[in-house]
Each structure stands twice: as structure tokens, then as C-alpha cells.
Amino acid sequence: MDDHSHEPDPDKRVTAPMQEFGSREVGIGAAVTLVGLLIAYAVPFLATF
């Protein structure tokens, strides 16, 4: 049997959904969403004129 002592304790691991986030991360996510929506909808719409 292999010794995996270099691996972290599975009970102490933290995955992304469990990590806290603040208003800064929410703002960045909203900005990324807005840019994506503009690229997907506004640019093609304006290109038709």
C-alpha cells in the first residue's frame, strides 16, 4: 500500500463552493457577466445597422 503522507488531510480541504466571498468578488462577477452579455447581444445587434 502506498504512503500518501504528502497529501493534505481530506477533512481539512476546502473546495470552492465552501469558500467565503465578498462584495469585491460579486462586483467582478457582475462586470464579467455584463461584458459577456454585451459581446453576445449588443455587438451583433449594433452590427446589423
Side-chain angles (χ1 to χ4, degrees):
M1 190 162 169
D2 292 333
D3 180 20
H4 297 285
S5 60
H6 62 278
E7 294 181 2
D9 183 9
D11 295 330
K12 293 183 180 179
R13 283 189 282 173
V14 178
T15 58
M18 295 169 50
Q19 294 174 343
E20 295 182 10
F21 56 91
S23 59
R24 180 177 184 271
E25 288 83 7
V26 172
I28 292 171
V32 169
T33 301
L34 181 62
V35 169
L37 289 172
L38 286 173
I39 291 171
Y41 293 103
V43 171
F45 176 74
L46 294 174
T48 60
F49 293 108

